[in-house]
Amino acid sequence: MSEAPEFLLTTPDSVASDPDAIEIIRMWWSKNEPVMSVKPAFNDPHKFGEMLAIAARHMAHGYAVRHGHNEREAYARILQGLSDVVKADNVQTVAEPVSKGPETKGSVQ
């Protein structure tokens, strides 16, 4: 897996300095589909829904900054994509074998 340096994600300083920080999800677009490792770390799934909503807002801002999109329109498009998948109700979870090592792909921890 290789990415151009301008697309590399880094750990925010506030997270790196927080001994109680928990990584919840890693996501990739691979072979024309989303692939992720998830950790259901909250007792109440509602909290994860809150995180997804906040992530959608942040991503809309990212589209505005990086690609010049209108932030409100980008947010609406993101929510439309979410709604389309929810309405289709055809997503299946396929768990990949867990590999040994620090990076695991497609695993639920």
Side-chain angles (χ1 to χ4, degrees):
M1 181 175 77
S2 64
E3 288 188 70
E6 66 268 19
F7 295 116
L8 292 176
L9 299 174
T10 59
T11 302
D13 291 341
S14 62
V15 172
S17 66
D18 179 1
D20 296 324
I22 300 167
E23 185 172 28
I24 305 296
I25 190 167
R26 288 185 183 195
M27 301 175 77
W28 300 265
W29 188 256
S30 174
K31 299 178 182 174
N32 270 344
E33 64 182 4
V35 179
M36 61 200 73
S37 289
V38 300
K39 183 185 300 176
F42 301 116
N43 290 329
D44 184 353
H46 184 268
K47 186 55 100 180
F48 185 69
E50 291 175 1
M51 286 187 68
L52 289 175
I54 293 167
R57 281 269 186 210
H58 289 315
M59 189 60 80
H61 179 75
Y63 273 99
V65 170
R66 181 165 292 211
H67 299 290
H69 289 235
N70 174 287
E71 191 167 333
R72 286 180 158 292
E73 291 173 8
Y75 185 58
R77 292 286 299 147
I78 291 168
L79 294 180
Q80 185 61 55
L82 179 66
S83 179
D84 290 349
V85 171
V86 169
K87 287 177 187 174
D89 193 28
N90 62 357
V91 175
Q92 295 181 356
T93 299
V94 177
E96 293 185 19
V98 177
S99 63
K100 294 180 182 178
E103 301 271 339
T104 57
K105 183 179 173 190
S107 65
V108 176
Q109 301 174 343

